[in-house]
Amino acid sequence: MADQNAPSPIPTLGRFPALDRVRVPADLRNLSVEQLKQLADELRAETVDAVSTTGGHLGASLGVVELTVALHAVFDTPDDRVIWDVGHQAYPHKILTGRRDRIRTLRQPGGLSGFTRRAESPYDPFGAAHSSTSISAGLGMAVAHHLRAEDDPSYRERNVIAVIGDGSISAGMAYEAMNNAAVAGPGAERLIVILNDNEMSIAPPVGAMSNYLSRLMSSRKFMELRELAGKFVKKLPAPMERTARKADEYARGMITGGTLFEELGFYYVGPVDGHDLPQLVNILRNLRDTDKGPILLHVITEKGHGYRPAENAGDKYHAVAKFNVITGEQKKGPAGPPSYTSVFARELVRRAQTDHRLTAITAAMPSGTGLDAFAKNYPDRFFDVGIAEQHAVTFAAGMATEGLRPFCAIYSTFLQRAYDQVMHDVVLQNLPVRFAIDRAGLVGADGATHAGSFDIAYLGCLPGMTIMAPSDELELLHMTATAIEFDEGPIALRYPRGNGLGLDLPAEGQVLEIGKGRIIREMGRQFGAETGGIAILSLGPRLGACLKAADMLAAQGLPPTVADARFAKPIDTALLENLARNHAVLITIEEGSEGGFATQVCHHLACTGLLDQVRFRPMTLPDRFIDHNTQDAQYDEAGLSAPHIVATALNALGVRLTEERTA
């Protein structure tokens, strides 16, 4: 028998009676609207309480509480598919879909993802974390359901609902999907796109009249009347038919602001107050029961809604650390060294004082990339293009053609979205665009979706690309200065999430020689039976682990040479050949995938015949994705910590590995 006195895995059990009765969304479908309103209030309080213990994306989740309750109360999830674009607003969704007992493991090692994830729940039909994918995925699902139903009469077509924010819908991919939905065939009739507008950037303020019109336009009678009118105008002469259609379009456009979406082939409903639960339920029921899609429902929400500290905060508690629920005060750790991001931004701002050709571009991440400091000082030379990485890169390319020195600051994981533009618009034309690649390597709690694992590989294969990777914040300072002065072609500097080592920084960075690494520690005298010695060539911040490994090897009588490559491309061939000729073992280590820096090294060694003379051992991220955890734990799991370096070296020498040697 279970211990009745054992602590509940849900610390709030008993505080929220309505929520306590919900195990899965089906439990919502017999509740009255008043009961749903109580549930929404309790769900909001539970979300606040849970995120206060884990940190995470709070503001966006609080903004969709009523919408989440309404969706699961009206639609037959998980058979009906609800796709959350990005997924950072899906915490209330996770609580209602059988994960309340694990919600306090959010973003923790072994716990729930901070985004939607197919492997986590059948209520997550599509994994997310990058923006603007929901409409494309939803359209694909809707068409697939229709095709399956045509083949199998017993198969029920499902509704597919894509919830996308006003920021995400600004990206080109969303419009590509909506444009395709109009011609995708009958399957698209069951697609409902919900535009979650929390910035008031599209619609006028909503009120009673707007809600009334939205209910009217979503009703079956109105749709049938509009369909009848459409059949009637088809019988009119062509000029009169066009005039009648335009009159319908513009009349509804003036009332609602939905003309753009109508032009893309969507039936537009809205704007609707996204916190008015009774209205949401009524409208969603109307839309559920129609096949006049594709439909776009425009709801207005407020980030942080219902939690006063979030409502009053400038960022609406978009992303928070652990915090006090009563006061909203976030728990901040002791002040540490400056972050890599801030060191990059400091040098860029300093140089922009005297170099008026410097410009800074980001894709909806001004604070995350540190460019908010640049924007404050030089607003006329700062450009936030929104969630539009492809445009950001080509926009920078255009600037470079006219003699400016553009910095395109984008997270490594998001630069993947603009790969064709990097290759075709920048590299092929050898334009001096500077790529500041933040969050390179493993990123901790955001997990595999945000890891910067692939940029060395996907940039390193491009002819003429220069790639730098600092081992610490001082090196980043110098590399930022180097990138500013480099006008010979495209150049990238990749740097990690988190703080530096606390090194003293000079007032300004120094320009480095392109393609030149440095020796950090010379090999000492070997005392063991082994001969030839070990060389460790590090790219980026793994240098600290390499030096620790060097101390461990020295304690075994095998003090190695340690070098800092600095450049992933072009590689320092003189340094590389020296290491290969004078050591029995050569290890490379990088915070990137297979196919990156080690591939460049191996290719050169093979072409020069030196690969036949040295035991070469590349250390990269493994060929799999690594889940969210602390960064240190992730690198340990990846096999890139100091003990792993020691083990690799000893194995290459044929030395028997013992716990004492690697402790």
Side-chain angles (χ1 to χ4, degrees), residues 188-467:
E189 294 174 353
R190 305 305 292 266
L191 174 66
I192 301 170
V193 174
I194 298 179
L195 171 56
N196 173 34
D197 182 359
N198 54 33
E199 293 292 341
M200 303 298 289
S201 58
I202 299 174
V206 297
M209 179 59 72
S210 177
N211 284 334
Y212 167 73
L213 291 170
S214 298
R215 289 200 312 275
L216 172 65
M217 288 187 297
S218 67
S219 68
R220 179 178 293 274
K221 288 183 178 180
F222 182 89
M223 291 184 180
E224 290 175 349
L225 179 62
R226 189 168 181 248
E227 184 177 12
L228 180 63
K231 292 178 180 177
F232 172 73
V233 298
K234 283 184 179 179
K235 299 181 183 298
L236 297 174
M240 295 181 65
E241 178 188 359
R242 287 194 297 271
T243 301
R245 290 192 182 281
K246 288 294 183 184
D248 169 73
E249 174 187 318
Y250 289 129
R252 296 192 323 110
M254 283 188 292
I255 294 170
T256 65
T259 302
L260 170 63
F261 302 111
E262 292 279 336
E263 289 286 351
L264 289 168
F266 277 72
Y267 184 88
Y268 175 88
V269 177
V272 177
D273 183 351
H275 302 298
D276 188 337
L277 190 56
Q279 298 286 358
L280 283 175
V281 169
N282 287 335
I283 291 168
L284 288 174
R285 283 174 178 163
N286 286 337
L287 300 182
R288 177 195 63 191
D289 298 333
T290 186
D291 57 359
K292 306 301 181 186
I295 292 168
L296 187 135
L297 172 62
H298 185 176
V299 301
I300 305 296
T301 62
E302 178 193 24
K303 273 188 177 180
H305 183 79
Y307 181 53
R308 187 62 58 81
E311 291 176 342
N312 294 337
D315 64 352
K316 302 296 182 183
Y317 277 35
H318 172 72
V320 295
K322 299 176 182 180
F323 61 93
N324 182 296
V325 173
I326 304 300
T327 65
E329 181 180 359
Q330 297 186 49
K331 300 175 182 177
K332 298 181 179 179
S339 68
Y340 282 92
T341 300
S342 66
V343 171
F344 156 73
R346 191 196 88 173
E347 180 67 4
L348 192 64
V349 169
R350 187 193 67 79
R351 290 296 299 266
Q353 294 175 358
T354 55
D355 189 341
H356 300 292
R357 293 178 294 167
L358 280 177
T359 61
I361 302 160
T362 190
M365 300 296 290
S367 60
T369 58
L371 292 187
D372 50 350
F374 190 98
K376 182 178 179 181
N377 287 276
Y378 310 106
D380 293 342
R381 289 187 274 156
F382 168 75
F383 304 90
D384 182 351
V385 302
I387 303 174
E389 290 86 0
Q390 292 172 305
H391 166 61
V393 170
T394 306
F395 180 48
M399 288 184 172
T401 65
E402 300 298 333
L404 296 185
R405 288 175 159 178
F407 268 82
C408 198
I410 300 178
Y411 288 7
S412 172
T413 187
F414 297 142
L415 187 60
Q416 294 164 183
R417 297 158 63 96
Y419 188 63
D420 182 62
Q421 285 68 32
V422 172
M423 192 289 294
H424 182 270
D425 300 338
V426 176
V427 177
L428 187 61
Q429 303 186 86
N430 197 41
L431 293 174
V433 173
R434 290 98 174 139
F435 294 98
I437 304 176
D438 207 327
R439 272 43 170 200
L442 301 177
V443 294
D446 284 333
T449 60
H450 283 58
S453 306
F454 308 110
D455 56 88
I456 304 175
Y458 70 66
L459 295 178
C461 62
L462 299 177
M465 173 64 77
T466 297
I467 308 169

Side-chain angles (χ1 to χ4, degrees), residues 502-525:
L503 303 179
D504 290 333
L505 298 177
E508 60 184 52
Q510 302 299 315
V511 175
L512 303 176
E513 183 179 354
I514 298 297
K516 290 298 179 183
R518 56 181 181 147
I519 298 289
I520 303 298
R521 185 181 297 182
E522 292 277 7
M523 180 180 69
R525 181 181 175 188

Side-chain angles (χ1 to χ4, degrees), residues 467-517:
I467 308 169
M468 302 181 286
S471 55
D472 54 48
E473 67 268 41
L474 177 59
E475 286 287 293
L476 175 57
L477 187 72
H478 297 326
M479 289 180 183
T480 303
T482 303
I484 292 169
E485 294 298 325
F486 188 76
D487 293 319
E488 286 71 30
I491 189 167
L493 57 154
R494 69 183 311 264
Y495 45 95
R497 179 180 192 171
N499 296 338
L501 305 180
L503 303 179
D504 290 333
L505 298 177
E508 60 184 52
Q510 302 299 315
V511 175
L512 303 176
E513 183 179 354
I514 298 297
K516 290 298 179 183

Side-chain angles (χ1 to χ4, degrees), residues 19 22 25 28 39-40 42-48 50-51 57-69 72 84 87-100 103 106:
L19 185 60
V22 174
L28 278 67
L39 176 64
E42 295 180 5
L43 179 59
R44 176 170 281 107
E46 175 75 346
T47 302
V48 170
V51 178
H57 292 97
L58 181 61
S61 291
L62 296 181
V64 297
V65 167
E66 287 80 10
L67 179 59
T68 304
V69 170
H72 285 299
W84 298 93
H88 66 311
Q89 75 283 60
Y91 299 175
H93 160 81
K94 293 190 180 224
I95 293 171
L96 291 181
T97 53
R99 287 170 276 184
R100 184 185 176 194
I103 196 64
L106 195 69

Side-chain angles (χ1 to χ4, degrees), residues 601-613:
V601 169
C602 185
H603 181 81
H604 183 77
L605 292 176
C607 288
T608 57
L610 289 171
L611 193 60
D612 303 328
Q613 302 178 26

